[in-house]
Amino acid sequence: MLKIDEDMIVRCGQRFGHMHVYINEDADGNIRETISRCIKETTSIPYTLHYIKRTPKHYSLLIGDKVGTPPVCGTLGGFVRKIPHSIGTSTVESLQAIVSRHVAIHCNSTDNMMQIGEIIRGVIQLPHTDRVDVAAVYLKGFTKDYVNLKFKDPHGRLTTRCRYVYTNDTISKNIHRFRLVFLRGVTTELGHGELYNVTLEYANLQVPTLLLKSRLDKPDTPLCAPGDSGALVCSMDTDGVVWALAILVGEVLPSTEPKTFYAQMLQEGLIELGEKHDANYEFVG
């Protein structure tokens, strides 16, 4: 029996007594001939070979998935589109995952790679300075069509894509609108918290920061825990629209009762990434 490289066959199926085999368009003539011979050896059903572009095999990445490997894990915050400024071959846009900088640093291996989800590995891109806790991970070959951009709402249901609040000024002037927030990290169950302050400075860092109170639905349960770093902090308005506000960093220390947590405005992190990598980073929602 002839052996076929499974990466060369994208999918196959039978319809009305006719077999359709979809082959990676990059397959050379020898591979195509081998596939035809294998089909003829195993069945007498008429068949047609189709040549298509193969997309990444594992594209079910979802906001809120695990990133990193034990013992250091975080949460996939969302996705951004990197649009380089420079002219040349590097001007190609790419899809990148947004994660916590401190998780990315602790996960960084000798090849500068980080695991996203269960199988995918991408190249870590750190921001211009260490004042923001946001990093990007380049997902080679991925576009927004290969990931799940739907977001789980406060009730755990997959909802429409979330929209992005660009400036801390918008949140400051509409804090009543965004007061109830939620996030879904890897470690803790989905829950509601309360946004009670927006500050331009926290821990001697000049970074717009959101301060979050603990869970409102279960006061004795923390809003988040280790492993949730990088989770997207969102709010849902009265029209049911989900808004992306910030990236979770962690608990405010020294610890208080009830616990308080802080998150940094996503916009600040994207600006820092752009300065380091000569590009614009646009939120994909």
Side-chain angles (χ1 to χ4, degrees):
M1 180 68 180
L2 296 173
K3 184 178 180 181
I4 301 175
D5 183 351
E6 64 175 10
D7 287 336
M8 290 297 102
I9 297 181
V10 179
R11 62 180 181 270
C12 62
Q14 184 177 329
R15 183 176 177 82
F16 302 125
H18 194 100
M19 180 181 295
H20 296 269
V21 182
Y22 296 83
I23 302 173
N24 189 341
E25 64 179 13
D26 297 328
D28 60 28
N30 290 332
I31 293 175
R32 296 180 183 187
E33 182 181 350
T34 299
I35 292 174
S36 294
R37 290 171 60 189
C38 283
I39 295 173
K40 292 176 180 178
E41 285 184 1
T42 56
T43 181
S44 59
I45 297 176
Y47 68 93
T48 301
L49 300 183
H50 306 271
Y51 305 102
I52 64 174
K53 183 176 180 60
R54 186 181 187 94
T55 59
K57 294 173 67 175
H58 308 284
Y59 56 86
S60 56
L61 294 178
L62 175 67
I63 295 172
D65 279 351
K66 182 179 73 173
V67 301
T69 52
V72 181
C73 293
T75 298
L76 171 58
F79 301 97
V80 294
R81 184 185 299 108
K82 179 184 178 182
I83 307 174
H85 295 154
S86 57
I87 299 175
T89 57
S90 62
T91 57
V92 178
E93 295 183 14
S94 60
L95 186 75
Q96 310 206 358
I98 287 297
V99 300
S100 163
R101 176 184 177 275
H102 74 260
V103 173
I105 289 176
H106 284 91
C107 289
N108 195 358
S109 57
T110 55
D111 58 0
N112 200 37
M113 302 287 283
M114 181 178 185
Q115 185 162 314
I116 305 295
E118 294 299 324
I119 299 175
I120 302 301
R121 298 185 77 237
V123 181
I124 298 172
Q125 298 193 350
L126 296 177
H128 182 61
T129 68
D130 59 1
R131 77 185 189 97
V132 294
D133 195 45
V134 176
V137 179
Y138 170 51
L139 305 172
K140 184 178 180 180
F142 275 63
T143 71
K144 67 178 183 179
D145 296 323
Y146 304 156
V147 297
N148 192 336
L149 293 175
K150 289 189 175 182
F151 196 85
K152 291 187 177 180
D153 68 14
H155 307 291
R157 301 170 302 198
L158 279 178
T159 184
T160 56
R161 299 171 180 178
C162 57
R163 300 179 185 178
Y164 176 33
V165 177
Y166 286 87
T167 66
N168 63 290
D169 188 54
T170 301
I171 298 177
S172 298
K173 292 179 178 179
N174 297 276
I175 194 168
H176 61 285
R177 180 181 183 185
F178 301 116
R179 185 180 69 84
L180 293 178
V181 296
F182 66 95
L183 58 88
R184 187 179 187 89
V186 170
T187 306
T188 54
E189 62 181 280
L190 187 71
H192 298 77
E194 181 179 4
L195 167 62
Y196 75 95
N197 194 15
V198 179
T199 177
L200 295 179
E201 180 178 355
Y202 176 76
N204 297 319
L205 298 175
Q206 300 293 323
V207 182
T209 301
L210 308 184
L211 298 181
L212 313 172
K213 288 184 179 179
S214 197
R215 295 172 65 108
L216 300 179
D217 51 344
K218 298 179 181 179
D220 296 332
T221 304
L223 179 65
C224 56
D228 294 336
S229 296
L232 200 60
V233 177
C234 298
S235 184
M236 178 179 284
D237 62 21
T238 54
D239 295 326
V241 177
V242 177
W243 296 89
L245 308 182
I247 291 292
L248 179 70
V249 180
E251 182 183 353
V252 173
L253 298 176
S255 184
T256 60
E257 289 297 336
K259 294 182 182 297
T260 304
F261 306 90
Y262 70 106
Q264 292 181 342
M265 285 293 298
L266 181 57
Q267 180 197 33
E268 292 296 310
L270 300 187
I271 291 174
E272 291 273 352
L273 283 168
E275 291 177 353
K276 173 69 177 290
H277 302 285
D278 190 29
N280 287 333
Y281 284 79
E282 297 182 353
F283 182 77
V284 178

mmCIF file of all heavy atoms in Angstrom, residues 87-123:
data_model
loop_
_atom_site.group_PDB
_atom_site.id
_atom_site.type_symbol
_atom_site.label_atom_id
_atom_site.label_comp_id
_atom_site.label_asym_id
_atom_site.label_seq_id
_atom_site.Cartn_x
_atom_site.Cartn_y
_atom_site.Cartn_z
ATOM 1 N N ILE A 87 8.402 50.201 4.003
ATOM 2 C CA ILE A 87 8.134 49.765 2.642
ATOM 3 C C ILE A 87 8.995 48.551 2.323
ATOM 4 O O ILE A 87 10.178 48.503 2.652
ATOM 5 C CB ILE A 87 8.423 50.896 1.642
ATOM 6 C CG1 ILE A 87 7.515 52.098 1.950
ATOM 7 C CG2 ILE A 87 8.226 50.419 0.208
ATOM 8 C CD1 ILE A 87 7.807 53.296 1.084
ATOM 9 N N GLY A 88 8.423 47.583 1.677
ATOM 10 C CA GLY A 88 9.173 46.388 1.304
ATOM 11 C C GLY A 88 8.388 45.129 1.625
ATOM 12 O O GLY A 88 7.179 45.152 1.824
ATOM 13 N N THR A 89 9.084 44.017 1.712
ATOM 14 C CA THR A 89 8.413 42.740 1.952
ATOM 15 C C THR A 89 7.771 42.676 3.328
ATOM 16 O O THR A 89 6.870 41.890 3.564
ATOM 17 C CB THR A 89 9.417 41.578 1.815
ATOM 18 O OG1 THR A 89 10.505 41.793 2.721
ATOM 19 C CG2 THR A 89 9.951 41.506 0.396
ATOM 20 N N SER A 90 8.252 43.519 4.271
ATOM 21 C CA SER A 90 7.731 43.484 5.635
ATOM 22 C C SER A 90 6.387 44.198 5.775
ATOM 23 O O SER A 90 5.859 44.312 6.869
ATOM 24 C CB SER A 90 8.736 44.105 6.609
ATOM 25 O OG SER A 90 8.957 45.468 6.285
ATOM 26 N N THR A 91 5.860 44.723 4.659
ATOM 27 C CA THR A 91 4.595 45.452 4.742
ATOM 28 C C THR A 91 3.384 44.527 4.779
ATOM 29 O O THR A 91 2.253 44.989 4.849
ATOM 30 C CB THR A 91 4.439 46.402 3.536
ATOM 31 O OG1 THR A 91 4.520 45.637 2.334
ATOM 32 C CG2 THR A 91 5.542 47.449 3.542
ATOM 33 N N VAL A 92 3.604 43.238 4.735
ATOM 34 C CA VAL A 92 2.494 42.293 4.766
ATOM 35 C C VAL A 92 1.815 42.323 6.134
ATOM 36 O O VAL A 92 2.471 42.233 7.171
ATOM 37 C CB VAL A 92 2.982 40.862 4.462
ATOM 38 C CG1 VAL A 92 1.824 39.876 4.548
ATOM 39 C CG2 VAL A 92 3.623 40.816 3.083
ATOM 40 N N GLU A 93 0.492 42.467 6.146
ATOM 41 C CA GLU A 93 -0.244 42.462 7.404
ATOM 42 C C GLU A 93 -0.231 41.061 8.005
ATOM 43 O O GLU A 93 -0.116 40.064 7.301
ATOM 44 C CB GLU A 93 -1.694 42.896 7.176
ATOM 45 C CG GLU A 93 -1.843 44.316 6.704
ATOM 46 C CD GLU A 93 -3.298 44.713 6.567
ATOM 47 O OE1 GLU A 93 -4.168 43.981 7.079
ATOM 48 O OE2 GLU A 93 -3.577 45.752 5.937
ATOM 49 N N SER A 94 -0.354 40.996 9.324
ATOM 50 C CA SER A 94 -0.392 39.692 9.980
ATOM 51 C C SER A 94 -1.330 39.741 11.172
ATOM 52 O O SER A 94 -1.527 40.789 11.785
ATOM 53 C CB SER A 94 1.016 39.281 10.438
ATOM 54 O OG SER A 94 1.544 40.224 11.364
ATOM 55 N N LEU A 95 -1.910 38.593 11.498
ATOM 56 C CA LEU A 95 -2.778 38.475 12.668
ATOM 57 C C LEU A 95 -1.942 38.060 13.861
ATOM 58 O O LEU A 95 -1.106 37.161 13.756
ATOM 59 C CB LEU A 95 -3.866 37.441 12.415
ATOM 60 C CG LEU A 95 -4.925 37.335 13.522
ATOM 61 C CD1 LEU A 95 -5.873 38.525 13.442
ATOM 62 C CD2 LEU A 95 -5.702 36.039 13.416
ATOM 63 N N GLN A 96 -2.160 38.715 14.991
ATOM 64 C CA GLN A 96 -1.386 38.406 16.179
ATOM 65 C C GLN A 96 -2.303 38.300 17.392
ATOM 66 O O GLN A 96 -3.351 38.946 17.466
ATOM 67 C CB GLN A 96 -0.316 39.483 16.408
ATOM 68 C CG GLN A 96 0.502 39.756 15.158
ATOM 69 C CD GLN A 96 1.882 40.289 15.455
ATOM 70 O OE1 GLN A 96 2.260 40.509 16.591
ATOM 71 N NE2 GLN A 96 2.653 40.498 14.405
ATOM 72 N N ALA A 97 -1.909 37.451 18.327
ATOM 73 C CA ALA A 97 -2.663 37.290 19.569
ATOM 74 C C ALA A 97 -2.148 38.291 20.596
ATOM 75 O O ALA A 97 -0.959 38.619 20.615
ATOM 76 C CB ALA A 97 -2.489 35.866 20.102
ATOM 77 N N ILE A 98 -3.038 38.776 21.447
ATOM 78 C CA ILE A 98 -2.657 39.688 22.521
ATOM 79 C C ILE A 98 -2.648 38.924 23.839
ATOM 80 O O ILE A 98 -3.620 38.257 24.193
ATOM 81 C CB ILE A 98 -3.636 40.874 22.597
ATOM 82 C CG1 ILE A 98 -3.394 41.816 21.423
ATOM 83 C CG2 ILE A 98 -3.480 41.640 23.901
ATOM 84 C CD1 ILE A 98 -2.024 42.464 21.413
ATOM 85 N N VAL A 99 -1.520 39.035 24.553
ATOM 86 C CA VAL A 99 -1.344 38.317 25.813
ATOM 87 C C VAL A 99 -0.695 39.240 26.833
ATOM 88 O O VAL A 99 -0.298 40.360 26.521
ATOM 89 C CB VAL A 99 -0.462 37.057 25.619
ATOM 90 C CG1 VAL A 99 -1.087 36.098 24.620
ATOM 91 C CG2 VAL A 99 0.946 37.447 25.168
ATOM 92 N N SER A 100 -0.568 38.751 28.056
ATOM 93 C CA SER A 100 0.115 39.498 29.113
ATOM 94 C C SER A 100 1.625 39.471 28.891
ATOM 95 O O SER A 100 2.206 38.426 28.601
ATOM 96 C CB SER A 100 -0.212 38.875 30.473
ATOM 97 O OG SER A 100 0.710 39.298 31.459
ATOM 98 N N ARG A 101 2.246 40.621 29.028
ATOM 99 C CA ARG A 101 3.693 40.711 28.843
ATOM 100 C C ARG A 101 4.439 39.867 29.869
ATOM 101 O O ARG A 101 5.400 39.167 29.537
ATOM 102 C CB ARG A 101 4.157 42.170 28.929
ATOM 103 C CG ARG A 101 5.681 42.360 28.837
ATOM 104 C CD ARG A 101 6.056 43.828 29.018
ATOM 105 N NE ARG A 101 7.493 43.991 28.995
ATOM 106 C CZ ARG A 101 8.282 43.844 30.047
ATOM 107 N NH1 ARG A 101 7.744 43.506 31.222
ATOM 108 N NH2 ARG A 101 9.590 44.010 29.952
ATOM 109 N N HIS A 102 4.008 39.922 31.135
ATOM 110 C CA HIS A 102 4.767 39.193 32.157
ATOM 111 C C HIS A 102 4.628 37.683 31.976
ATOM 112 O O HIS A 102 5.543 36.931 32.285
ATOM 113 C CB HIS A 102 4.381 39.641 33.580
ATOM 114 C CG HIS A 102 3.044 39.170 34.074
ATOM 115 N ND1 HIS A 102 1.924 39.966 34.061
ATOM 116 C CD2 HIS A 102 2.654 37.984 34.617
ATOM 117 C CE1 HIS A 102 0.907 39.308 34.577
ATOM 118 N NE2 HIS A 102 1.316 38.091 34.923
ATOM 119 N N VAL A 103 3.498 37.235 31.423
ATOM 120 C CA VAL A 103 3.351 35.808 31.117
ATOM 121 C C VAL A 103 4.255 35.440 29.939
ATOM 122 O O VAL A 103 4.934 34.406 29.954
ATOM 123 C CB VAL A 103 1.890 35.462 30.800
ATOM 124 C CG1 VAL A 103 1.766 34.014 30.307
ATOM 125 C CG2 VAL A 103 1.018 35.658 32.031
ATOM 126 N N ALA A 104 4.282 36.294 28.915
ATOM 127 C CA ALA A 104 5.118 36.029 27.740
ATOM 128 C C ALA A 104 6.592 35.940 28.109
ATOM 129 O O ALA A 104 7.319 35.068 27.619
ATOM 130 C CB ALA A 104 4.902 37.115 26.694
ATOM 131 N N ILE A 105 7.035 36.823 28.996
ATOM 132 C CA ILE A 105 8.447 36.823 29.402
ATOM 133 C C ILE A 105 8.794 35.528 30.132
ATOM 134 O O ILE A 105 9.834 34.910 29.875
ATOM 135 C CB ILE A 105 8.750 38.047 30.285
ATOM 136 C CG1 ILE A 105 8.727 39.322 29.437
ATOM 137 C CG2 ILE A 105 10.101 37.898 30.977
ATOM 138 C CD1 ILE A 105 8.919 40.582 30.231
ATOM 139 N N HIS A 106 7.926 35.096 31.036
ATOM 140 C CA HIS A 106 8.197 33.875 31.793
ATOM 141 C C HIS A 106 8.076 32.627 30.924
ATOM 142 O O HIS A 106 8.674 31.590 31.232
ATOM 143 C CB HIS A 106 7.255 33.773 32.994
ATOM 144 C CG HIS A 106 7.622 34.675 34.125
ATOM 145 N ND1 HIS A 106 7.125 35.950 34.251
ATOM 146 C CD2 HIS A 106 8.472 34.506 35.163
ATOM 147 C CE1 HIS A 106 7.642 36.524 35.328
ATOM 148 N NE2 HIS A 106 8.455 35.669 35.906
ATOM 149 N N CYS A 107 7.304 32.719 29.834
ATOM 150 C CA CYS A 107 7.153 31.577 28.931
ATOM 151 C C CYS A 107 8.215 31.567 27.837
ATOM 152 O O CYS A 107 8.343 30.589 27.105
ATOM 153 C CB CYS A 107 5.769 31.600 28.261
ATOM 154 S SG CYS A 107 4.413 31.216 29.373
ATOM 155 N N ASN A 108 8.947 32.668 27.713
ATOM 156 C CA ASN A 108 9.888 32.822 26.603
ATOM 157 C C ASN A 108 10.950 31.731 26.634
ATOM 158 O O ASN A 108 11.622 31.514 27.633
ATOM 159 C CB ASN A 108 10.554 34.194 26.677
ATOM 160 C CG ASN A 108 11.242 34.565 25.380
ATOM 161 O OD1 ASN A 108 11.258 33.772 24.437
ATOM 162 N ND2 ASN A 108 11.811 35.750 25.332
ATOM 163 N N SER A 109 11.084 31.037 25.524
ATOM 164 C CA SER A 109 12.090 29.983 25.390
ATOM 165 C C SER A 109 13.250 30.502 24.548
ATOM 166 O O SER A 109 13.289 31.661 24.139
ATOM 167 C CB SER A 109 11.463 28.752 24.730
ATOM 168 O OG SER A 109 10.907 29.095 23.480
ATOM 169 N N THR A 110 14.202 29.654 24.286
ATOM 170 C CA THR A 110 15.377 30.063 23.519
ATOM 171 C C THR A 110 15.005 30.460 22.092
ATOM 172 O O THR A 110 15.718 31.238 21.464
ATOM 173 C CB THR A 110 16.403 28.918 23.474
ATOM 174 O OG1 THR A 110 15.766 27.736 22.966
ATOM 175 C CG2 THR A 110 16.942 28.634 24.863
ATOM 176 N N ASP A 111 13.889 29.946 21.573
ATOM 177 C CA ASP A 111 13.490 30.293 20.208
ATOM 178 C C ASP A 111 12.449 31.411 20.168
ATOM 179 O O ASP A 111 11.865 31.693 19.120
ATOM 180 C CB ASP A 111 12.952 29.061 19.471
ATOM 181 C CG ASP A 111 11.753 28.422 20.192
ATOM 182 O OD1 ASP A 111 11.350 28.949 21.252
ATOM 183 O OD2 ASP A 111 11.239 27.414 19.690
ATOM 184 N N ASN A 112 12.217 32.059 21.328
ATOM 185 C CA ASN A 112 11.312 33.206 21.407
ATOM 186 C C ASN A 112 9.876 32.841 21.004
ATOM 187 O O ASN A 112 9.149 33.653 20.450
ATOM 188 C CB ASN A 112 11.811 34.356 20.523
ATOM 189 C CG ASN A 112 11.209 35.695 20.924
ATOM 190 O OD1 ASN A 112 11.018 35.972 22.096
ATOM 191 N ND2 ASN A 112 10.894 36.518 19.936
ATOM 192 N N MET A 113 9.478 31.611 21.303
ATOM 193 C CA MET A 113 8.149 31.132 20.933
ATOM 194 C C MET A 113 7.267 30.974 22.175
ATOM 195 O O MET A 113 7.761 30.789 23.280
ATOM 196 C CB MET A 113 8.249 29.796 20.205
ATOM 197 C CG MET A 113 9.099 29.810 18.955
ATOM 198 S SD MET A 113 8.302 30.656 17.576
ATOM 199 C CE MET A 113 7.137 29.385 17.053
ATOM 200 N N MET A 114 5.953 31.032 21.955
ATOM 201 C CA MET A 114 4.986 30.879 23.044
ATOM 202 C C MET A 114 3.799 30.079 22.532
ATOM 203 O O MET A 114 3.366 30.243 21.384
ATOM 204 C CB MET A 114 4.516 32.254 23.526
ATOM 205 C CG MET A 114 3.526 32.230 24.670
ATOM 206 S SD MET A 114 3.102 33.912 25.182
ATOM 207 C CE MET A 114 2.069 33.558 26.627
ATOM 208 N N GLN A 115 3.273 29.213 23.373
ATOM 209 C CA GLN A 115 2.136 28.386 22.973
ATOM 210 C C GLN A 115 0.839 29.160 23.146
ATOM 211 O O GLN A 115 0.594 29.777 24.174
ATOM 212 C CB GLN A 115 2.085 27.104 23.792
ATOM 213 C CG GLN A 115 0.991 26.142 23.342
ATOM 214 C CD GLN A 115 1.213 24.734 23.843
ATOM 215 O OE1 GLN A 115 2.311 24.207 23.767
ATOM 216 N NE2 GLN A 115 0.165 24.118 24.356
ATOM 217 N N ILE A 116 -0.010 29.100 22.097
ATOM 218 C CA ILE A 116 -1.318 29.743 22.119
ATOM 219 C C ILE A 116 -2.364 28.655 21.911
ATOM 220 O O ILE A 116 -2.382 27.992 20.876
ATOM 221 C CB ILE A 116 -1.442 30.804 21.009
ATOM 222 C CG1 ILE A 116 -0.306 31.830 21.104
ATOM 223 C CG2 ILE A 116 -2.801 31.492 21.089
ATOM 224 C CD1 ILE A 116 -0.318 32.661 22.356
ATOM 225 N N GLY A 117 -3.249 28.460 22.875
ATOM 226 C CA GLY A 117 -4.184 27.355 22.786
ATOM 227 C C GLY A 117 -3.472 26.047 23.082
ATOM 228 O O GLY A 117 -2.441 26.012 23.754
ATOM 229 N N GLU A 118 -4.007 24.960 22.578
ATOM 230 C CA GLU A 118 -3.460 23.647 22.889
ATOM 231 C C GLU A 118 -2.266 23.268 22.027
ATOM 232 O O GLU A 118 -1.395 22.521 22.452
ATOM 233 C CB GLU A 118 -4.549 22.580 22.736
ATOM 234 C CG GLU A 118 -5.685 22.712 23.741
ATOM 235 C CD GLU A 118 -5.196 22.579 25.176
ATOM 236 O OE1 GLU A 118 -4.275 21.770 25.431
ATOM 237 O OE2 GLU A 118 -5.725 23.286 26.046
ATOM 238 N N ILE A 119 -2.195 23.789 20.793
ATOM 239 C CA ILE A 119 -1.180 23.299 19.861
ATOM 240 C C ILE A 119 -0.384 24.416 19.193
ATOM 241 O O ILE A 119 0.823 24.298 19.000
ATOM 242 C CB ILE A 119 -1.833 22.420 18.766
ATOM 243 C CG1 ILE A 119 -2.512 21.205 19.422
ATOM 244 C CG2 ILE A 119 -0.819 21.959 17.732
ATOM 245 C CD1 ILE A 119 -3.275 20.333 18.456
ATOM 246 N N ILE A 120 -1.020 25.521 18.844
ATOM 247 C CA ILE A 120 -0.378 26.571 18.065
ATOM 248 C C ILE A 120 0.758 27.222 18.848
ATOM 249 O O ILE A 120 0.634 27.497 20.041
ATOM 250 C CB ILE A 120 -1.405 27.654 17.683
ATOM 251 C CG1 ILE A 120 -2.548 27.039 16.891
ATOM 252 C CG2 ILE A 120 -0.738 28.762 16.874
ATOM 253 C CD1 ILE A 120 -2.122 26.357 15.631
ATOM 254 N N ARG A 121 1.881 27.481 18.180
ATOM 255 C CA ARG A 121 2.994 28.230 18.773
ATOM 256 C C ARG A 121 3.277 29.438 17.898
ATOM 257 O O ARG A 121 3.239 29.359 16.670
ATOM 258 C CB ARG A 121 4.247 27.351 18.898
ATOM 259 C CG ARG A 121 4.035 26.148 19.811
ATOM 260 C CD ARG A 121 5.315 25.362 20.005
ATOM 261 N NE ARG A 121 6.214 26.009 20.941
ATOM 262 C CZ ARG A 121 7.465 26.366 20.679
ATOM 263 N NH1 ARG A 121 7.967 26.178 19.471
ATOM 264 N NH2 ARG A 121 8.226 26.916 21.596
ATOM 265 N N GLY A 122 3.545 30.578 18.541
ATOM 266 C CA GLY A 122 3.798 31.805 17.791
ATOM 267 C C GLY A 122 5.003 32.542 18.329
ATOM 268 O O GLY A 122 5.533 32.224 19.395
ATOM 269 N N VAL A 123 5.449 33.544 17.573
ATOM 270 C CA VAL A 123 6.644 34.317 17.917
ATOM 271 C C VAL A 123 6.249 35.500 18.803
ATOM 272 O O VAL A 123 5.375 36.298 18.455
ATOM 273 C CB VAL A 123 7.348 34.831 16.649
ATOM 274 C CG1 VAL A 123 8.597 35.620 17.020
ATOM 275 C CG2 VAL A 123 7.702 33.664 15.734
#
